[in-house]
Amino acid sequence: MLTLKPAPQPTESNLKTGLALAGGGPLGGFYELGALCALEDSLSNLKLTDLDVFVGVSAGAFLAASLANGISTEHMANIFAFKKTAETPFNPDHFLQPAYGEYLKKVLQLPLYTGQALLDWARHPLSTSAVDMLEKAGRALPTGTFNNAKLENFLKNVFTRHGKGNDFRQLDKKLYIVACELDSGRAAVFSQEKHADVPISKAIQASSALPGLYPPVKIKQRHYVDGALRRTMNASAALKNDVQLLFAINPIVPFDSQKRTKSSELMQGGLPMVLSQTFRSIVQSRLKSGLDKYGAHYPHADIVLIEPDSNDEMLFNTNLFSYGQRARLCAYAYDKTRQHLRDKAEALRPLLARHGIALHEENLFDTQRELNDMLASNPANPVASKLDHTLDQLDRTLKILARKAN
């Protein structure tokens, strides 16, 4: 599904472009990667690494930070999805190791918490319920199931080996990573302007620390959890930087079973399916609410929102935390996004043209083209790739100047 939000008050473009990526667990991240590859492949004179502002929440923070670091979509696909980069091997098992330290700490605290619960019951046996007892003893439960420290280390290696570095201040693009401060419940933004001394990899670790799955991440005496708890996408961080063309991707949408020909199986899927649908609905509602406000607050900005179809059974029936199908998910998202771009090509052309960008018609309308074709056609020589980027930027500028002259 491709949603176009043309600027209510279009002006002469300032050529500032941005990208906002929402969260959605591993499933969402790999879908976003495939969608980014499709978008990259379908634009003839703009590389996503050349955008001016990048915003990432949770799983989207991985990809936003990589692009801001100058790591191309093709390179990201080879690192994260297809395991073709031996220097920084992606091993999902590193992200699913039990949080042994957290378990041990809680086991040692168990006698204390249990004793306090029993003591309270002994003091007030008639007014203390079983729920009260469980609540007090529940403090002995681990705050996270898995340890995400290796995730942080993996990202640090990716950024230092393949990008410009692991420091916000080393980037020549603006990057915003959104987390949620546990103690206040407020959104926390890591960027060149705020918390600039925090490593990018550490900010991503905090932004993707989904409660229950990973323990809160401690940074400067404060604890942070998944940014999606406060912000679905936080596109306003880019729009506040006077971005006039914003690409946004939200990989998590509620499933509309009424579009199916057979009866709904949501209830038959039990609690996991109900919780998944609830989470998706909340995320979608918050995102739509934000988009509706952007037109009034940022009237000069065009927004291109990419999402899965609401009746996409394959995505809905795939585990949100699945790593095993990442290559297939990327290829699937690539195909679906290209289809959405083709369907909206007529409306998309003039919107992009305002910013000196054109569709790559040959790639987009080649219905036989696959993700592997895109990866194979990318220039392997970094010097040639840099030259391509420079020529693309020059082409955009010349188009704008020619339009002004007429």
Side-chain angles (χ1 to χ4, degrees), residues 225-278:
V225 293
D226 196 302
L229 299 181
R230 285 292 301 171
R231 294 284 188 273
T232 297
M233 185 180 292
N234 204 35
S236 59
L239 296 172
K240 286 177 182 177
N241 280 275
D242 204 22
V243 163
Q244 290 191 0
L245 175 61
L246 178 71
F247 297 103
I249 304 179
N250 170 43
I252 303 298
V253 298
F255 181 57
D256 187 354
S257 62
Q258 294 182 343
K259 294 183 179 180
R260 298 169 54 178
T261 55
K262 55 184 180 180
S263 62
S264 171
E265 297 177 357
L266 289 181
M267 287 299 296
Q268 297 177 22
L271 181 61
M273 196 72 79
V274 172
L275 290 177
S276 176
Q277 180 75 332
T278 302

Side-chain angles (χ1 to χ4, degrees), residues 47-263:
K47 299 295 182 183
L48 295 184
T49 50
D50 290 335
L51 302 180
D52 300 288
V53 185
F54 299 87
V55 183
V57 180
S58 192
F62 290 64
L63 306 176
S66 298
L67 288 169
N69 244 295
I71 303 172
S72 69
T73 53
E74 297 91 347
H75 202 168
M76 283 196 295
N78 287 330
I79 293 174
F80 295 117
F82 295 97
K83 299 189 294 187
K84 293 182 179 179
T85 307
E87 315 94 80
T88 47
F90 180 83
N91 185 353
D93 292 340
H94 289 170
F95 311 143
L96 299 174
Q97 289 189 346
Y100 294 116
E102 182 70 12
Y103 296 160
L104 178 60
K105 181 175 69 174
K106 292 301 182 180
V107 166
L108 294 176
Q109 294 173 341
L110 183 59
L112 173 63
Y113 293 141
T114 304
Q116 288 177 344
L118 291 172
L119 183 60
D120 288 344
W121 174 79
R123 288 173 176 170
H124 310 284
L126 299 180
S127 60
T128 303
S129 67
V131 174
D132 294 328
M133 295 279 289
L134 289 173
E135 181 181 356
K136 294 180 184 299
R139 290 179 293 177
L141 294 175
T143 57
T145 306
F146 300 107
N147 179 11
N148 57 0
K150 285 199 173 182
L151 162 65
E152 194 266 336
N153 188 58
F154 167 75
L155 292 172
K156 178 171 61 178
N157 288 335
V158 168
F159 299 147
T160 53
R161 288 175 180 265
H162 305 286
K164 299 179 183 300
N166 195 33
D167 190 321
F168 284 98
R169 295 163 295 192
Q170 292 176 314
L171 305 180
D172 53 11
K173 309 290 184 180
K174 289 196 173 184
L175 171 65
Y176 298 87
I177 303 297
V178 184
C180 175
E181 187 181 321
L182 182 63
D183 297 323
S184 67
R186 292 192 293 266
V189 178
F190 297 85
S191 66
Q192 288 98 327
E193 295 122 35
K194 294 182 179 180
H195 308 297
D197 57 328
V198 175
I200 297 172
S201 57
K202 195 69 175 179
I204 297 173
Q205 182 189 8
S207 179
S208 57
L210 185 65
L213 190 67
Y214 294 118
V217 176
K218 185 177 181 180
I219 301 176
K220 296 180 181 178
Q221 307 307 313
R222 295 184 181 274
H223 291 86
Y224 299 89
V225 293
D226 196 302
L229 299 181
R230 285 292 301 171
R231 294 284 188 273
T232 297
M233 185 180 292
N234 204 35
S236 59
L239 296 172
K240 286 177 182 177
N241 280 275
D242 204 22
V243 163
Q244 290 191 0
L245 175 61
L246 178 71
F247 297 103
I249 304 179
N250 170 43
I252 303 298
V253 298
F255 181 57
D256 187 354
S257 62
Q258 294 182 343
K259 294 183 179 180
R260 298 169 54 178
T261 55
K262 55 184 180 180
S263 62

Side-chain angles (χ1 to χ4, degrees), residues 10 28 34 83 93 97 115 184 193 198 212 215 250 268 278 287 291 304 317-318 342 348 351 353 362 393 401:
K83 299 189 294 187
D93 292 340
Q97 289 189 346
S184 67
E193 295 122 35
V198 175
N250 170 43
Q268 297 177 22
T278 302
L287 184 142
L291 283 177
V304 179
N317 290 319
T318 301
R342 286 195 295 270
L348 192 56
L351 186 148
E362 181 180 354
Q393 292 285 69
L401 292 175

Side-chain angles (χ1 to χ4, degrees), residues 30-31 33-35 37-38 77 81-82 314 325-338 369-372 375:
F30 296 128
Y31 187 92
L33 179 54
C37 287
F82 295 97
M314 195 282 280
Q325 303 182 61
R326 57 190 182 277
R328 185 172 72 91
L329 277 171
C330 279
Y332 181 80
Y334 172 84
D335 292 337
K336 284 293 184 179
T337 303
R338 277 168 36 84
R369 190 172 177 83
E370 298 179 345
L371 179 55
N372 284 332
L375 300 180

